[in-house]
Amino acid sequence: MDKDLKNKTISQLQEIIIAFGGKAYQGPVAFNFIHQKFARSLDEFTTLKKDLRASLVSGGYFLSNLKVAEKLCDPDGTEKYLFTLSDGNNIETVLLRESDRNTICISCQVGCKLGCKFCATGFLKFQRDLTAGEIVDQVIKIAADAGKINNIVFMGMGEPMYNYDNCLKAVWILTDPKGLNIGIRKQTISTCGLPDGIRALAEEDIYPRLAVSLHAASDTLRKKLMPIASKHPMAELVSAMRYYQQKTSRRITIEYCMIKCLNDSLSDAQALAALLRPLRANVNLIEYNPHPGCDFQGSSSRAIKAFKDTLMQSGVETIVRYRRGRNIKAACGQLGADRIKK
Ligand code: SF4
């Protein structure tokens, strides 16, 4: 049975506290200690009676804590945290500071099963899913260190749709006004395109933003970059995205990594524009970031601009996400790159 209180919603905390003789109102109090006051142990729940805290501890309840094993700072302002989990596994989380907001890119698994060719994490062996508490704790630890977090993107290590329940639970916990209170429109779930997960998300009572990593406009090319494309053809993926939009009326972000002489021609851009025509989608063009084990090269600035212009002329809103955090291997596709050789 899971006894980590960081892994609980307010109503779950309430149930536990009532079961130990406490009052219902103490559930939100405990939640507030964990998610706003960043308590590290039950000893810090100072407004809960000592004997209630003691009986929770003797009942096996505890607060898990990620340990900051390393923090790297890029001169461009990006920071990367290497966290150690209670079982000794490591994950990476990135903080992107901008003048008016802090965004963090969080991980949801240790390693990844999907093996996308342009992504360092895909070269690491999959170890396990993170709990909702471990997902949320990345935000807590960085908020405690760096101040208010405004945006969260589930774009770190792992595929959120393969750890669906824990990611959704984390979204609920992060959204709660008695906790970190991060608005649902400020949270983005990014998937490599798992149609079942996209359809499931459309049925939820809460809609984080959805980003889909596409990286190619044809099945043939996509299969070269992302093994998952062999299992889920483009037509199935587009159909799931359409379903999501019919249910939620939400715009979808398409992530597209620009790789030299592979997916960056004008005909690729035209094919992408045609593919997205039935959707309300905007495109983020990402400069390919190198890592060991992969000999792709990033597209030239000129190719990226021409690609963007073609999409824009076709009516597809497009932005270029310039590399950030590359010096500390914190840019898109680089998480875990330091551990590939090991
Ligand atoms: Fe996994 Fe995402 Fe990397 Fe693909 S891009 S290997 S899904 S972490």
Side-chain angles (χ1 to χ4, degrees):
M1 186 188 173
D2 165 42
K3 303 236 170 162
D4 179 6
L5 296 181
K6 200 163 274 175
N7 209 18
K8 308 293 179 197
T9 60
I10 284 192
S11 54
Q12 288 176 323
L13 279 175
Q14 250 166 345
E15 278 172 29
I16 293 164
I17 285 174
I18 290 170
F20 278 81
K23 303 269 190 271
Y25 78 88
Q26 292 172 316
V29 172
F31 189 87
N32 182 272
F33 268 108
I34 299 169
H35 298 279
Q36 274 194 0
K37 299 194 169 97
F38 308 146
R40 296 182 61 89
S41 77
L42 275 71
D43 292 340
E44 294 175 43
F45 291 11
T46 45
T47 57
L48 297 195
K49 282 192 179 146
K50 228 175 176 180
D51 54 352
L52 174 58
R53 284 185 263 147
S55 36
L56 284 167
V57 171
S58 58
Y61 286 95
F62 67 100
L63 274 184
S64 67
N65 282 293
L66 301 181
K67 286 197 186 79
V68 182
E70 192 175 24
K71 181 178 156 184
L72 299 170
C73 302
D74 192 295
D76 72 9
T78 305
E79 291 166 28
K80 182 168 83 169
Y81 293 74
L82 176 71
F83 288 116
T84 303
L85 308 175
S86 57
D87 60 3
N89 276 308
N90 289 310
I91 53 165
E92 294 179 6
T93 310
V94 177
L95 167 67
L96 297 143
R97 289 183 189 269
E98 285 165 277
S99 55
D100 57 342
R101 64 188 168 196
N102 286 332
T103 297
I104 63 173
C105 176
I106 58 178
S107 294
C108 65
Q109 295 181 311
V110 183
C112 186
K113 294 174 182 168
L114 288 182
C116 302
K117 303 286 186 232
F118 48 83
C119 172
T121 309
F123 285 68
L124 300 177
K125 191 166 175 269
F126 172 77
Q127 302 288 343
R128 69 169 175 88
D129 291 335
L130 298 191
T131 65
E134 289 167 332
I135 295 169
V136 169
D137 206 20
Q138 296 168 64
V139 187
I140 289 177
K141 292 293 181 282
I142 295 182
D145 186 40
K148 183 163 173 54
I149 302 302
N150 308 93
N151 295 303
I152 294 176
V153 292
F154 287 69
M155 286 184 194
M157 305 169 89
E159 163 58 52
M161 297 305 186
Y162 275 175
N163 187 15
Y164 185 90
D165 291 344
N166 290 343
C167 286
L168 249 287
K169 187 174 184 182
V171 167
W172 277 107
I173 292 172
L174 291 166
T175 311
D176 198 302
K178 289 199 164 52
L180 285 148
N181 192 19
I182 297 168
I184 194 61
R185 286 173 183 265
K186 305 285 184 187
Q187 298 189 47
T188 302
I189 298 273
S190 175
T191 173
C192 269
L194 298 172
D196 289 351
I198 294 171
R199 286 175 184 272
L201 198 59
E203 307 298 338
E204 297 290 343
D205 295 329
I206 193 166
Y207 300 135
R209 288 178 181 272
L210 176 67
V212 176
S213 290
L214 212 57
H215 311 301
S218 72
D219 280 320
T220 312
L221 181 52
R222 200 161 186 264
K223 280 182 202 168
K224 283 187 191 160
L225 296 172
M226 306 169 77
I228 193 68
S230 302
K231 206 166 161 195
H232 298 294
M234 196 73 90
E236 193 190 333
L237 176 54
V238 171
S239 161
M241 288 194 276
R242 288 189 73 174
Y243 180 78
Y244 176 86
Q245 287 202 311
Q246 280 158 10
K247 296 285 274 191
T248 68
S249 305
R250 290 287 182 85
R251 183 174 278 273
I252 295 174
T253 297
I254 302 295
E255 306 285 349
Y256 195 100
C257 179
M258 297 290 292
I259 305 169
K260 188 175 182 179
C261 298
L262 201 71
N263 65 355
D264 64 350
S265 70
L266 293 189
S267 60
D268 287 316
Q270 285 155 358
L272 180 61
L275 185 78
L276 299 181
R277 208 156 284 139
L279 298 166
R280 281 196 317 118
N282 55 286
V283 173
N284 282 353
L285 298 178
I286 304 160
E287 290 183 276
Y288 168 73
N289 293 299
H291 58 82
C294 180
D295 53 14
F296 291 155
Q297 288 178 27
S299 304
S300 67
S301 305
R302 182 185 284 195
I304 294 174
K305 182 177 182 310
F307 199 97
K308 178 185 174 186
D309 290 347
T310 304
L311 287 174
M312 296 286 276
Q313 282 153 15
S314 306
V316 181
E317 198 181 308
T318 305
I319 59 163
V320 179
R321 287 225 319 255
Y322 289 99
R323 64 180 76 128
R324 288 200 52 189
R326 214 188 223 195
N327 297 308
I328 54 170
K329 295 200 174 63
C332 281
Q334 288 187 312
L335 296 190
D338 289 332
R339 275 170 287 141
I340 288 176
K341 282 182 185 158
K342 294 171 207 170

